[in-house]
Coordinates of all heavy atoms in Angstrom, one line a residue:
T756 N -18.9 0.8 7.0 CA -18.9 0.1 5.7 C -19.2 -1.4 5.8 O -19.1 -2.0 6.9 CB -17.5 0.3 5.0 OG1 -17.6 -0.3 3.7 CG2 -16.4 -0.3 5.8
A757 N -19.6 -2.0 4.7 CA -19.8 -3.4 4.6 C -18.4 -4.0 4.6 O -17.5 -3.4 4.0 CB -20.6 -3.8 3.4
I758 N -18.2 -5.2 5.1 CA -17.0 -6.0 5.0 C -17.3 -7.4 4.6 O -18.4 -7.9 4.8 CB -16.1 -6.0 6.2 CG1 -16.8 -6.6 7.4 CG2 -15.6 -4.5 6.5 CD1 -15.9 -6.7 8.7
S759 N -16.4 -8.1 4.0 CA -16.7 -9.5 3.5 C -16.7 -10.5 4.7 O -16.2 -10.2 5.8 CB -15.7 -9.9 2.5 OG -14.4 -10.1 3.1
D760 N -17.2 -11.7 4.4 CA -17.2 -12.7 5.5 C -15.8 -13.0 6.0 O -15.7 -13.2 7.2 CB -17.8 -14.0 4.9 CG -19.3 -13.9 4.5 OD1 -19.9 -13.0 5.0 OD2 -19.7 -14.7 3.7
D761 N -14.8 -13.0 5.2 CA -13.5 -13.3 5.6 C -12.8 -12.2 6.5 O -11.8 -12.5 7.1 CB -12.6 -13.5 4.4 CG -13.3 -14.4 3.3 OD1 -13.8 -15.4 3.7 OD2 -13.4 -14.0 2.2
E762 N -13.4 -11.0 6.5 CA -12.9 -9.9 7.3 C -13.5 -9.9 8.7 O -13.3 -8.9 9.4 CB -13.1 -8.6 6.5 CG -12.3 -8.6 5.2 CD -12.7 -7.4 4.4 OE1 -13.9 -7.1 4.2 OE2 -11.7 -6.7 3.9
V763 N -14.3 -10.9 9.0 CA -14.9 -10.9 10.3 C -14.2 -11.9 11.2 O -14.0 -13.1 10.8 CB -16.4 -11.4 10.2 CG1 -17.1 -11.5 11.6 CG2 -17.2 -10.4 9.3
D764 N -13.7 -11.5 12.3 CA -13.0 -12.4 13.3 C -13.9 -12.8 14.3 O -14.5 -12.0 15.0 CB -11.8 -11.6 13.9 CG -10.6 -11.4 13.0 OD1 -10.5 -12.1 12.0 OD2 -9.9 -10.4 13.2
H765 N -14.1 -14.1 14.5 CA -15.0 -14.7 15.5 C -14.3 -15.0 16.8 O -13.3 -15.7 16.7 CB -15.8 -15.9 14.9 CG -16.8 -15.5 13.8 ND1 -18.0 -15.1 14.1 CD2 -16.6 -15.5 12.5 CE1 -18.7 -14.8 12.9 NE2 -17.8 -15.1 12.0
T766 N -14.9 -14.6 17.9 CA -14.3 -15.0 19.2 C -15.4 -15.5 20.1 O -16.5 -15.0 20.0 CB -13.6 -13.8 19.9 OG1 -14.5 -12.6 19.9 CG2 -12.3 -13.4 19.1
D767 N -15.1 -16.4 20.9 CA -16.0 -17.0 21.9 C -16.1 -16.1 23.1 O -15.1 -15.7 23.7 CB -15.7 -18.4 22.3 CG -15.8 -19.4 21.2 OD1 -16.7 -19.2 20.3 OD2 -15.0 -20.4 21.1
K768 N -17.3 -15.7 23.4 CA -17.5 -14.8 24.6 C -18.6 -15.3 25.5 O -19.5 -16.0 25.1 CB -17.9 -13.4 24.1 CG -16.8 -12.7 23.4 CD -17.1 -11.2 23.1 CE -16.0 -10.5 22.4 NZ -16.2 -9.1 22.1
A769 N -18.5 -15.0 26.8 CA -19.5 -15.3 27.7 C -20.8 -14.4 27.5 O -20.6 -13.3 27.2 CB -19.0 -15.1 29.2
G770 N -21.9 -15.0 27.5 CA -23.1 -14.2 27.2 C -24.3 -14.8 27.9 O -24.2 -15.6 28.9
N771 N -25.5 -14.5 27.4 CA -26.7 -15.0 28.0 C -27.7 -15.5 27.0 O -27.6 -15.1 25.8 CB -27.4 -13.9 28.9 CG -26.6 -13.5 30.1 OD1 -26.0 -12.5 30.1 ND2 -26.6 -14.4 31.1
M772 N -28.6 -16.4 27.4 CA -29.7 -16.8 26.5 C -31.0 -16.3 27.3 O -31.2 -16.7 28.4 CB -29.7 -18.3 26.3 CG -30.8 -18.8 25.4 SD -30.5 -18.4 23.7 CE -29.4 -19.7 23.2
W773 N -31.7 -15.4 26.7 CA -32.9 -14.9 27.3 C -34.1 -15.7 26.7 O -34.3 -15.8 25.5 CB -33.1 -13.4 27.0 CG -32.2 -12.5 27.8 CD1 -32.4 -12.0 29.0 CD2 -30.8 -12.1 27.4 NE1 -31.3 -11.3 29.4 CE2 -30.3 -11.3 28.5 CE3 -30.0 -12.3 26.3 CZ2 -29.1 -10.7 28.4 CZ3 -28.8 -11.8 26.2 CH2 -28.3 -11.0 27.3
H774 N -35.0 -16.2 27.6 CA -36.2 -17.0 27.2 C -37.4 -16.1 27.4 O -37.7 -15.7 28.5 CB -36.3 -18.3 28.0 CG -35.1 -19.2 27.8 ND1 -35.2 -20.3 27.0 CD2 -33.9 -19.2 28.2 CE1 -34.1 -20.9 27.0 NE2 -33.2 -20.3 27.7
I775 N -38.1 -15.7 26.3 CA -39.1 -14.7 26.3 C -40.4 -15.3 25.9 O -40.5 -16.1 25.0 CB -38.7 -13.5 25.4 CG1 -37.3 -13.0 25.7 CG2 -39.8 -12.4 25.4 CD1 -36.7 -12.1 24.6
K776 N -41.5 -14.8 26.6 CA -42.9 -15.3 26.3 C -43.5 -14.5 25.2 O -43.6 -13.3 25.3 CB -43.8 -15.2 27.6 CG -43.3 -16.0 28.7 CD -44.1 -15.7 30.0 CE -43.6 -16.3 31.2 NZ -44.3 -15.9 32.4
Y777 N -44.0 -15.2 24.1 CA -44.7 -14.5 23.0 C -46.1 -15.1 23.0 O -46.3 -16.2 22.6 CB -44.0 -14.9 21.7 CG -42.8 -14.1 21.3 CD1 -41.7 -13.9 22.3 CD2 -42.6 -13.5 20.1 CE1 -40.6 -13.2 21.9 CE2 -41.4 -12.8 19.7 CZ -40.4 -12.7 20.7 OH -39.3 -12.0 20.4
P778 N -47.1 -14.3 23.5 CA -48.5 -14.8 23.6 C -49.1 -15.1 22.2 O -49.0 -14.2 21.3 CB -49.2 -13.7 24.3 CG -48.2 -12.8 24.8 CD -47.0 -12.9 24.0
V779 N -49.7 -16.2 22.0 CA -50.5 -16.5 20.8 C -51.8 -15.7 20.8 O -52.5 -15.7 21.9 CB -50.8 -18.0 20.6 CG1 -51.6 -18.3 19.4 CG2 -49.5 -18.8 20.6
K780 N -52.1 -15.0 19.8 CA -53.3 -14.2 19.7 C -54.6 -15.1 19.9 O -54.7 -16.1 19.3 CB -53.4 -13.4 18.4 CG -54.5 -12.4 18.4 CD -54.7 -11.7 17.1 CE -55.8 -10.7 17.1 NZ -56.2 -10.2 15.8
D781 N -55.6 -14.5 20.7 CA -56.9 -15.2 20.9 C -56.7 -16.6 21.4 O -57.4 -17.6 21.0 CB -57.7 -15.2 19.6 CG -58.0 -13.8 19.1 OD1 -58.1 -12.9 20.0 OD2 -58.1 -13.7 17.9
S782 N -55.7 -16.8 22.3 CA -55.4 -18.2 22.8 C -54.7 -18.0 24.2 O -54.2 -17.0 24.5 CB -54.5 -18.9 21.9 OG -53.9 -20.0 22.5
D783 N -54.8 -19.1 25.0 CA -54.1 -19.1 26.3 C -52.7 -19.6 26.1 O -51.9 -19.6 27.0 CB -54.8 -20.0 27.3 CG -56.2 -19.5 27.6 OD1 -56.4 -18.2 27.6 OD2 -57.1 -20.3 28.0
E784 N -52.4 -20.1 24.9 CA -51.0 -20.6 24.6 C -50.0 -19.5 24.5 O -50.3 -18.4 24.0 CB -51.1 -21.5 23.4 CG -51.9 -22.7 23.5 CD -51.8 -23.7 22.4 OE1 -50.7 -24.3 22.2 OE2 -52.7 -23.8 21.6

Side-chain angles (χ1 to χ4, degrees):
T756 184
I758 61 174
S759 69
D760 293 339
D761 316 308
E762 294 170 314
V763 179
D764 288 334
H765 290 275
T766 51
D767 291 328
K768 292 189 177 180
N771 294 104
M772 183 74 82
W773 287 270
H774 298 256
I775 305 164
K776 300 173 186 173
Y777 282 46
V779 178
K780 190 185 177 188
D781 300 329
S782 167
D783 294 333
E784 293 187 73

